[in-house]
Structure formats: structure tokens, C-alpha cells
Amino acid sequence: MTGEFKISVLASGSKGNATIITAGGKNFLIDAGISCRQLTQRIKETGMQPEDLDGVLLTHEHRDHISGLPVFSRKYHLPVFANEATWRNFAQRSEMERSCCRLLPKCLETEGLKITNFAVPHDAAGAVGYVFSYAGARCVYLTDVGFITEEIKNNVAGADTLVLEANHDEEMLKKGIYPYALKQRILGTRGHLSNKAAGWLLSQMERLPGEVILAHLSQENNTPELALKTVRGILDAGETGGDTQIYVASQDEIVKNY
Ligand SMILES: [Zn+2]
Ligand SMILES: [Zn+2]
């Protein structure tokens, strides 16, 4: 079932996030945290045009998720969906094309593609993760996660394709150069998910996803090799982990699952 969803992670990490999820002929952009110019360029690199997008879905109002959005919305007039709390705390809302700002419905349904969202603990007003369902397959997008809640587990369950935060290696973070307060923020219950926590979440799943894309890696406190090794190690300790394909998203280049 993994083939139902095409994922193009255009950018992922604390300097900016943007991902296109395609299913059933529809293309949705999740977050627009790189400049409009970069965003447009990377969309074209995938073979798509910005006009091919059916909408933008926001996870939360942090800068690394929205920085390119005001210009992008004025240029391409795409509907942008976010919940009320996110809009209320969106500092650049006045710079947005007003007609683009839409309230995120509980379920967004278009030609057989269903998109629902769920709450994620993070130091933002109303951070969410997304579930895409199409033709019996399920794709979940989950980054900027303080800790794993029951609600997260329930939403991730049954995912065929999972974009999952693996922000930091706990040891690298603790020994690293970040100031104490920032370390506490990242490690706290409204911060970011570690490699180990990402692996743990996977290990708790009754059925592992066919594909996992590790995302939002810290450039300071993680490396792609370490994230992959840690998560792979946890999966290989189980019985079926070997069947899961793992990709690692990048800040600087597009990572695709197709
Ligand atoms: Zn955030
Ligand atoms: Zn972020």
C-alpha cells in the first residue's frame, strides 16, 4: 500500500520545512518554511508547478514552518488551512493574501482523499499532525512533537507511510553547545522528538509502516547516519523491522519516496 502516496520532502529541519504529499491526483503542501523563491524552485525540481498544488496545510505557526507563506500565498492564491489557534498566533497573518486563509476542517475530503488532523504537544498554540487516507492506504505526517501521547499513537496506527520527526540524539544534545534553557526546551514535553523516541514509537506499532521518512533532523545535535542507525537498530531488534524502508529528509535537498 506504500505506493499510494508520493512524498517529496522539499526541506526539513530547524531552518525550514516544506513537504508535498500526493495521492489520487491531488497535491498538498505541508508547511512553507522556506522562502517563496526556494519553495518555488524546489517544487519545480520535483517536476511540479506551484499551480499544481491543491492547498497548503499548516502544522503550526513557528517560523521554520511558515516563513515563505505570506509571499507564496500572494503569488499563487492557494488555499491555506490552519486551525484557529494557529491563525490567532500567526504573526505575519496581515501579510497573507486574505482570501487564502481558511479554517482547517476536522476532515478535508476531495475525490477520495481524506485528510484529518490531530493534536501534537509542542510549544506552539495548536500544533497538529496530519493523516491522509486514500484507497485504503494511510500516510501520517508527524513532526515538532514534545512527547508521544495516546492520541498520537492512535493516529499513527496502521500508517503505510510515515513522516516522523527524529530531531536529535539525546547525548549529542546534552553534550552540545546549546545554552541550558534551549536544551531543556528541546528535551521537554513541548519540544522535539529524539531519534530514540522516534524508534520507540515505531516499536510500539502493531504493524510497521512500509516506509518511514525521518524528518526535522537537527544540524547541530544529530546526523542522518546516527538517526538512521538508532531507528534501524530499534526496528531490527523487533521481528518485522527489516521490511521497513527508511529515508532521511534533508534541510538542503529534496528527498522523495518514489
Ligand atoms: Zn515548532
Ligand atoms: Zn519546526
Side-chain angles (χ1 to χ4, degrees):
M1 292 304 240
T2 49
E4 299 294 352
F5 296 97
K6 283 186 177 174
I7 316 281
S8 311
V9 183
L10 306 180
S12 187
S14 54
K15 294 197 180 84
N17 295 273
T19 294
I20 300 172
I21 297 186
T22 298
K26 298 284 172 190
N27 308 301
F28 281 90
L29 178 68
I30 299 189
D31 293 334
I34 50 178
S35 73
C36 177
R37 221 179 104 169
Q38 257 183 330
L39 191 55
T40 306
Q41 193 191 326
R42 292 196 192 175
I43 290 169
K44 287 180 178 169
E45 271 175 50
T46 69
M48 270 184 247
Q49 299 295 325
E51 292 85 354
D52 296 333
L53 294 173
D54 293 285
V56 184
L57 302 161
L58 297 186
T59 57
H60 62 299
E61 75 281 10
H62 284 164
R63 203 183 149 68
D64 58 318
H65 297 260
I66 55 104
S67 64
L69 194 57
V71 178
F72 193 73
S73 76
R74 291 201 301 272
K75 206 161 170 190
Y76 296 107
H77 308 281
L78 295 162
V80 179
F81 297 95
N83 62 27
E84 209 186 325
T86 300
W87 280 131
R88 224 184 304 124
N89 289 275
F90 192 114
Q92 294 98 318
R93 189 171 176 181
S94 59
E95 299 163 29
M96 291 281 295
E97 170 71 45
R98 265 182 89 180
S99 63
C100 294
C101 302
R102 309 280 168 85
L103 197 59
L104 178 67
K106 242 188 156 78
C107 179
L108 192 66
E109 205 164 354
T110 166
E111 293 178 39
L113 173 65
K114 245 184 176 177
I115 306 170
T116 57
N117 59 88
F118 55 97
V120 172
H122 186 56
D123 55 354
V128 295
Y130 285 100
V131 179
F132 290 67
S133 311
Y134 179 74
R138 189 175 173 87
C139 169
V140 178
Y141 186 93
L142 177 64
T143 69
D144 298 70
V145 187
F147 69 103
I148 305 295
T149 60
E150 280 304 307
E151 192 179 1
I152 290 177
K153 275 194 200 169
N154 292 339
N155 278 280
V156 163
D160 302 285
T161 300
L162 174 59
V163 181
L164 175 62
E165 172 164 57
N167 178 260
H168 57 273
D169 175 76
E170 283 169 28
E171 286 312 302
M172 267 181 93
L173 175 65
K174 283 176 191 161
K175 289 182 190 146
I177 57 157
Y178 278 8
Y180 179 77
L182 183 54
K183 287 182 183 177
Q184 292 309 111
R185 196 219 126 203
I186 295 168
L187 289 167
T189 54
R190 285 163 63 81
H192 291 276
L193 216 58
S194 69
N195 297 338
K196 248 192 207 159
W200 180 82
L201 173 62
L202 291 169
S203 75
Q204 297 297 299
M205 292 176 74
E206 221 162 89
R207 178 171 67 82
L208 282 169
E211 301 171 320
V212 173
I213 303 176
L214 300 178
H216 214 301
L217 270 71
S218 166
Q219 289 183 312
E220 204 60 58
N221 304 307
N222 209 354
T223 66
E225 296 74 26
L226 192 53
L228 188 60
K229 195 179 139 205
T230 307
V231 173
R232 186 91 263 173
I234 295 171
L235 288 192
D236 286 347
E239 272 168 28
T240 56
D243 301 334
T244 298
Q245 169 97 39
I246 306 179
Y247 303 84
V248 184
S250 156
Q251 188 71 82
D252 303 311
E253 51 185 37
I254 301 170
V255 171
K256 299 194 245 177
N257 71 337
Y258 59 95

